[in-house]
Amino acid sequence: MIDLKSWQPMVIKSFLLYFLPKNKEEIIKSLAQYSFCEVLPSTNKNVLIITLESEDPQAEKIRISTIENLPGVESLMMTFGASV
Amino acid sequence: MQIAEKTRREFIKELAISAALVSASSLIPGILFARDQATPTLENIDWKKTPCRFCGVGCGLLVGLQAGKAVAVKGDPNSSVNKGLCCVKGYHSILALYGEDRLTKAQIRKNGKMVEVPISEALDLVALKIKETIKEHGKNAVSIYGSGQWTIPDGYCASKLFKGAIGTNNVEANARLCMASAVTGFLTTFGIDEPMGCYEDIEHSDVFILWGNNMAEMHPVLFSRMLDHRQKNPHVKIIDFATRKTRTSYASDHSIYFVPQTDLAVANAICHEIIAQNRVNQSFVDANCAFKQGKTNIGYGLEDDFKFKDELSDIDFKKYSEYLKDYSAQKVAAYSGVSISDIKLLANYYGDPSKKVTSFWCMGPNQHTRGTWINNLIYNIHLLTGKIATPGNNPFSLTGQPSACGTVREVGTLTHKLPHGVVTNQEDRELAEKIWKLPPGSIDSKPTHHTVSMFRALDRGEIKFMWIQVTNPMVTMPNLKRYRNGALKDGRFIVVSDVYPTPTTEVADVVLPSAMWIEREGFYGNSERRTQHFEKLLDPPGEAMSDTWQLIEIAKRLGYEHLFPWSEKEHIEKIWAEYRLFHDNPKHAMAPYDELKKNPGLQWPFVNGKETKRRFASKSDPACDQSREFDFYGKPDHKAWVIFRPYEPPAESPDKDFPFWLNTGRVIEHWHTGSMTRRIPILHQAMPNSYAEINPEDALELGVKNNDWIKLSSRRGEIRIRASVNGRGIPSKGQVFVPFFDESLLINELTLDAYCPISNQPDYKKCAIKVERV
């Protein structure tokens, strides 16, 4: 049973992540360790698509900050957001 | 509950990824993703191959089926076209099957209102109207108008029914509006249609010259192959030769902007420079080229009774060179907007014997009142330099529709054509009558109407019945008001076969619901002579029926069952076997049905179990005389013809009343008139409405800001539309660009129905308009 009092909708967002080419493998490796996101790399550009799942705004803020602070990440641009 | 929650979560994640894919495609020219890496693990998926149906590139897709629905798409890694990659339309293509307002039942107009009826009743009425019209007005009062989205069996049955059984050459297709000039370009220069090269040339080229071709949006997978090749080989250059700055321009090494129509002059100037710099490949030219000239001052087809027939006469290299003296870089720079140095740069790339050059073009040169000429002129450059039919050297005319080549050009669904040859040739007619088991003399020897002429004849009342399949002419015809009003006149009977309601179904007396793409078996033929088979993967909704089977049902009702004696189960295989008989020769042999079923696509000529990658080069083309290095066997003299064509002005140019050029075209998110892609939520949301790109300086002078409403008007009509300033594309000063996908903003009410007198293809790229702030 879902406890409706404590239940928070999961928020799913997608982003385009721009990175420096030299850090590509390292970034993908780091992101792969996080259970809250999935990664789809472009096959021909220095861009990744990231889907990020967060249970509350605070968690989302921390996760975005974690990603943005990975070495070689140039920018993170949101393309979609919705609650489950 | 848990399952439902998981499904919703996965669904939203899919939406999130889709949104990112669309954004990335819009922002970054040529970007590609190997999507299957991200597809959630879906169990019990049955993956089936099919070509994409959303452009002429012919990407191979794998469609995932589950419980009778298409649920996933990925690029087919076995397809040599896209090697597992896809553009944003391809990835979302299956969603076009499931729009809420999909046509599932036939409709008949009764007392001015469309009412649903069983499809058998609608088919009975269509057959009755054909019979009545022929009886009262003759066979040339009935017509069929299809498209480059017709599958090969659709077009074949349309041609067999109308040209063979009924005996009228009133068969046309919307490919007349998109690549007829490419056909006449090939026929006049080479005597045989379709590109000699292949996409693989991309990986061999040093320089790409894009002639008015926004490949980043129109052919994104090929564009990405080019970018990828350049990334691996930094010496590779991409030159964008265009009238406006586009996504392609941003990714190119150099952009050269020309005044509309002066591409003719610039092409001649390039040839003049090549000769002046002594860079003609003389041994190639001596062995393989003949020089010709055609008629000049050839008109624009604006009059209903316009007629023109080109005649080519012999000239020699010296005379050709003399003609080109009017096209020195200095003279052409004065009116083309292209600098002397850029003309010389282009001539240097083409003329440098150490560089392999591919030219790409599509609608820019084709939708042109001198479309045949500019196609000829691009070939002239490649012929003078001998850069043709060898790896990396390729003048490559791209197509816009999935089977413009396979159906319209190869099956020949144009008024003058037959599956092999033309109606004016007795031998070609006799071959068709033999294969189709018709009495001698059944096929009329006279072509009737090309597309613009056909709609004019409908307006005048000479054509009373028109059956329109897989296309939306009430959005796409130039000078649209005339042709919509013509279709609505009393005494006209319009049948429309489609998958969704459109402005064309609005003028219909009967609407037939069509099975779409993978809801039936079929074949497409792409830009590089590749034939692609697809199975029926899904049942069509309601009473929707394939266009092929609709034609067969009508043929039966007209008493021609003996000509279409196939069962529903095997008709596609039988049609293919019969169609192959037309191309039973090494110049055009088609692969057998079983081979096509097994492969993601095979290039013709398919001879002795092998595809032909490049034609006219003896090493790779079995149809060549093997004693020669090259054999341009389309012409009786086995030579390619270098045809001198001059610059002539367009049909309409800006003046004091209408001071801007109007150019129309497409956007990456939408296929043609948007009748399918606007039903795909993610694509529709990404590009919900059309807009008018105007130059920032013009915007400043007009006091117009981005997103302001403006009024565009021409001598034919007007629309109100939002301005795009410094948006996706930036036209040169004095020019406006409007995409045509939006049926609520019919830009073709402003365009002019002038056409190339040789190809009869209209020019959608040039007419004069006024821009006003509202």
Side-chain angles (χ1 to χ4, degrees):
Chain A
M1 285 288 286
I2 293 174
D3 177 359
L4 291 174
K5 283 182 186 168
S6 64
W7 184 75
Q8 291 271 344
M10 182 75 81
V11 172
I12 297 178
K13 290 185 175 175
S14 64
F15 299 84
L16 296 181
L17 184 152
Y18 291 73
F19 58 85
L20 296 171
K22 63 177 182 181
N23 297 100
K24 180 177 181 178
E25 296 310 319
E26 193 185 338
I27 290 171
I28 292 174
K29 211 170 159 185
S30 301
L31 291 169
Q33 293 170 7
Y34 306 144
S35 60
F36 52 79
C37 76
E38 284 182 22
V39 182
L40 173 60
S42 164
T43 54
N44 61 347
K45 300 282 179 183
N46 300 324
V47 175
L48 306 173
I49 288 174
I50 291 180
T51 52
L52 182 70
E53 293 184 63
S54 309
E55 57 278 12
D56 59 56
Q58 186 60 23
E60 181 184 290
K61 203 173 163 184
I62 293 166
R63 287 167 188 179
I64 288 175
S65 174
T66 305
I67 294 170
E68 282 178 330
N69 287 323
L70 289 173
V73 169
E74 287 187 307
S75 71
L76 197 59
M77 190 180 84
M78 189 178 125
T79 55
F80 178 91
S83 301
V84 176
Chain B
M1 183 73 188
Q2 203 178 8
I3 291 169
E5 197 177 311
K6 187 184 174 195
T7 305
R8 177 167 163 74
R9 181 168 155 255
E10 285 184 351
F11 174 72
I12 290 177
K13 275 176 85 172
E14 276 297 293
L15 276 182
I17 294 168
S18 292
L21 285 167
V22 172
S23 302
S25 298
S26 303
L27 289 166
I28 308 159
I31 191 165
L32 287 171
F33 293 87
R35 178 65 207 280
D36 49 329
Q37 292 173 26
T39 304
T41 311
L42 297 167
E43 289 172 2
N44 303 319
I45 296 278
D46 188 13
W47 293 97
K48 296 283 188 182
K49 78 172 174 75
T50 175
C52 181
R53 60 103 57 241
F54 283 133
C55 87
V57 171
C59 292
L61 303 182
L62 293 174
V63 172
L65 304 174
Q66 193 180 56
K69 275 196 85 171
V71 295
V73 179
K74 55 185 178 182
D76 183 352
N78 294 320
S79 168
S80 65
V81 173
N82 52 314
K83 301 174 181 180
L85 304 176
C86 261
C87 81
V88 69
K89 288 192 289 292
Y91 279 128
H92 297 98
S93 54
I94 54 169
L95 296 176
L97 297 163
Y98 301 116
E100 283 178 3
D101 57 344
R102 182 75 194 269
L103 292 169
T104 60
K105 290 186 175 169
Q107 296 169 30
I108 288 177
R109 192 173 295 279
K110 289 181 178 171
N111 301 319
K113 287 186 77 174
M114 296 305 282
V115 293
E116 289 185 350
V117 295
I119 194 164
S120 58
E121 186 183 328
L123 292 166
D124 288 344
L125 178 62
V126 173
L128 179 70
K129 282 290 171 185
I130 292 176
K131 281 184 198 169
E132 283 179 359
T133 307
I134 293 172
K135 192 177 171 191
E136 287 174 33
H137 305 286
K139 61 186 185 178
N140 284 336
V142 301
S143 60
I144 188 159
Y145 182 64
S147 87
Q149 296 158 77
W150 253 344
T151 67
I152 290 174
D154 299 337
Y156 184 79
C157 287
S159 182
K160 186 173 181 179
L161 175 60
F162 278 76
K163 295 197 173 200
I166 294 172
T168 178
N169 288 324
N170 280 343
V171 178
E172 274 283 299
N174 74 347
R176 176 76 73 179
L177 312 178
C178 79
M179 38 97 289
S181 299
V183 176
T184 47
F186 277 113
L187 291 176
T188 45
T189 296
F190 302 104
I192 190 168
D193 190 22
E194 298 204 28
M196 63 288 299
C198 57
Y199 297 154
E200 197 184 291
D201 285 320
I202 291 172
E203 282 80 32
H204 294 279
S205 289
D206 301 304
V207 180
F208 299 92
I209 315 281
L210 312 182
W211 289 75
N213 192 7
N214 180 11
M215 284 178 76
E217 291 201 70
M218 306 316 142
H219 302 92
V221 167
L222 295 183
F223 193 67
S224 76
R225 279 179 68 166
M226 231 163 36
L227 297 184
D228 185 50
H229 176 54
R230 185 180 61 179
Q231 198 168 32
K232 291 171 187 156
N233 302 278
H235 74 281
V236 169
K237 300 289 179 204
I238 300 171
I239 310 298
D240 168 49
F241 181 61
T243 59
R244 63 187 253 268
K245 185 184 273 190
T246 64
R247 290 282 166 205
T248 301
S249 316
Y250 291 108
S252 297
D253 295 283
H254 184 49
S255 285
I256 300 170
Y257 300 110
F258 62 94
V259 173
Q261 191 87 351
T262 64
D263 44 354
L264 296 161
V266 174
N268 275 331
I270 293 168
C271 290
H272 177 271
E273 278 297 314
I274 287 167
I275 293 170
Q277 293 171 17
N278 202 22
R279 285 191 145 171
V280 173
N281 183 337
Q282 206 62 51
S283 60
F284 177 88
V285 168
D286 291 345
N288 300 298
C289 298
F291 289 84
K292 307 280 174 179
Q293 65 179 357
K295 287 184 177 174
T296 56
N297 297 314
I298 64 176
Y300 301 100
L302 286 165
E303 311 81 15
D304 272 26
D305 59 352
F306 179 83
K307 281 193 172 47
F308 175 77
K309 190 170 181 349
D310 199 21
E311 282 172 19
L312 297 178
S313 56
D314 292 338
I315 54 172
D316 57 16
F317 179 73
K318 192 176 164 212
K319 184 78 179 169
Y320 172 74
S321 307
E322 280 172 22
Y323 283 143
L324 289 181
K325 284 181 181 163
D326 285 340
Y327 298 94
S328 66
Q330 289 80 357
K331 286 178 183 172
V332 170
Y335 59 94
S336 66
V338 180
S339 67
I340 294 170
S341 60
D342 276 341
I343 291 171
K344 289 180 185 282
L345 177 83
L346 289 167
N348 282 336
Y349 278 135
Y350 279 113
D352 184 344
S354 71
K355 287 188 166 51
K356 294 174 182 170
V357 183
T358 289
S359 301
F360 279 121
W361 69 98
C362 196
M363 294 306 122
N366 291 347
Q367 293 180 334
H368 195 306
T369 51
R370 295 294 179 265
T372 308
W373 288 11
I374 185 64
N375 274 265
N376 292 147
L377 294 174
I378 299 170
Y379 294 130
N380 288 356
I381 300 169
H382 281 266
L383 289 168
L384 286 179
T385 52
K387 293 188 176 181
I388 195 163
T390 51
N393 287 317
N394 186 358
F396 202 135
S397 154
L398 297 166
T399 46
Q401 301 187 75
S403 203
C405 286
T407 304
V408 181
R409 292 161 75 162
E410 291 158 29
V411 175
T413 56
L414 297 170
T415 184
H416 64 292
K417 284 276 290 167
L418 287 167
H420 176 84
V422 289
V423 296
T424 48
N425 183 300
Q426 190 177 340
E427 282 180 21
D428 294 339
R429 291 197 307 278
E430 285 173 357
L431 176 69
E433 286 161 358
K434 185 179 161 199
I435 292 171
W436 286 345
K437 298 184 176 66
L438 297 167
S442 298
I443 298 171
D444 198 326
S445 62
K446 286 185 187 159
T448 52
H449 300 285
H450 56 83
T451 294
V452 170
S453 171
M454 186 183 270
F455 279 89
R456 287 177 181 171
L458 182 72
D459 177 39
R460 292 193 304 269
E462 291 156 25
I463 287 177
K464 304 282 187 189
F465 172 98
M466 185 180 283
W467 186 355
I468 297 164
Q469 288 193 318
V470 221
T471 188
N472 195 4
M474 294 303 126
V475 175
T476 57
M477 286 298 292
N479 192 11
L480 180 59
K481 273 186 189 169
R482 176 182 177 186
Y483 303 115
R484 188 173 57 235
N485 291 340
L488 289 167
K489 281 181 179 170
D490 286 345
R492 315 297 189 273
F493 196 86
I494 310 293
V495 179
V496 178
S497 304
D498 213 326
V499 295
Y500 287 108
T502 67
T504 305
T505 61
E506 284 173 17
V507 305
D509 298 286
V510 173
V511 174
L512 298 172
S514 290
M516 186 180 164
W517 178 40
I518 49 176
E519 293 168 347
R520 41 80 49 89
E521 185 182 7
F523 305 90
Y524 289 146
N526 80 351
S527 290
E528 59 164 358
R529 294 174 282 107
R530 184 175 299 280
T531 312
Q532 297 159 299
H533 172 265
F534 50 98
E535 285 180 60
K536 177 182 173 181
L537 306 182
L538 302 162
D539 287 327
E543 288 202 288
M545 182 185 282
S546 79
D547 290 354
T548 304
W549 199 251
Q550 289 176 18
L551 285 154
I552 292 172
E553 286 287 342
I554 293 300
K556 288 177 185 172
R557 284 164 170 77
L558 294 174
Y560 301 121
E561 188 166 7
H562 61 291
L563 301 177
F564 300 84
W566 313 301
S567 70
E568 203 166 351
K569 189 180 171 196
E570 62 179 10
H571 69 291
I572 298 297
E573 184 177 358
K574 297 285 183 188
I575 287 168
W576 184 256
E578 186 178 290
Y579 168 56
R580 282 184 74 218
L581 299 174
F582 281 93
H583 296 305
D584 188 17
N585 64 72
K587 294 177 186 172
H588 203 141
M590 310 297 283
Y593 179 80
D594 289 341
E595 289 289 331
L596 289 167
K597 270 192 93 166
K598 277 190 290 191
N599 289 284
L602 293 168
Q603 283 181 287
W604 61 265
F606 188 83
V607 180
N608 299 326
K610 285 184 184 165
E611 300 178 82
T612 302
K613 281 188 181 173
R614 292 179 190 84
R615 293 193 298 170
F616 308 142
S618 303
K619 270 187 196 168
S620 56
D621 184 349
C624 287
D625 173 349
Q626 295 298 315
S627 67
R628 302 165 59 119
E629 188 180 355
F630 297 95
D631 180 6
F632 294 97
Y633 48 73
K635 293 288 190 188
D637 59 2
H638 288 245
K639 291 191 172 186
W641 292 2
V642 175
I643 307 170
F644 173 72
R645 304 291 198 182
Y647 167 77
E648 286 185 1
E652 187 177 78
S653 298
D655 54 27
K656 68 177 175 47
D657 296 324
F658 296 94
F660 287 85
W661 292 101
L662 172 66
N663 175 13
T664 68
R666 295 172 286 164
V667 292
I668 191 170
E669 292 87 351
H670 290 298
W671 165 250
H672 274 200
T673 60
S675 61
M676 289 171 279
T677 46
R678 295 184 94 203
R679 265 91 181 176
I680 299 174
I682 201 80
L683 297 179
H684 180 48
Q685 285 158 16
M687 182 56 75
N689 292 110
S690 186
Y691 53 85
E693 289 175 2
I694 57 177
N695 178 276
E697 280 182 48
D698 291 329
L700 197 64
E701 285 169 22
L702 290 161
V704 170
K705 297 189 297 297
N706 187 44
N707 223 26
D708 280 354
W709 285 99
I710 54 173
K711 185 171 94 174
L712 307 182
S713 51
S714 76
R715 291 179 176 86
R716 296 155 291 280
E718 64 178 51
I719 59 168
R720 280 160 195 261
I721 190 167
R722 287 194 186 273
S724 168
V725 184
N726 283 319
R728 180 177 294 190
I730 303 175
S732 299
K733 191 162 167 38
Q735 298 184 33
V736 174
F737 172 81
V738 179
F740 71 85
F741 69 85
D742 187 346
E743 66 184 42
S744 65
L745 294 164
L746 293 170
I747 191 60
N748 278 315
E749 291 192 351
L750 278 66
T751 53
L752 181 66
D753 50 351
Y755 54 81
C756 167
I758 302 172
S759 68
N760 304 310
Q761 177 169 351
D763 188 332
Y764 291 88
K765 305 293 186 188
K766 299 168 214 86
C767 74
I769 61 162
K770 185 161 58 178
V771 182
E772 295 165 274
R773 192 179 166 196
V774 291

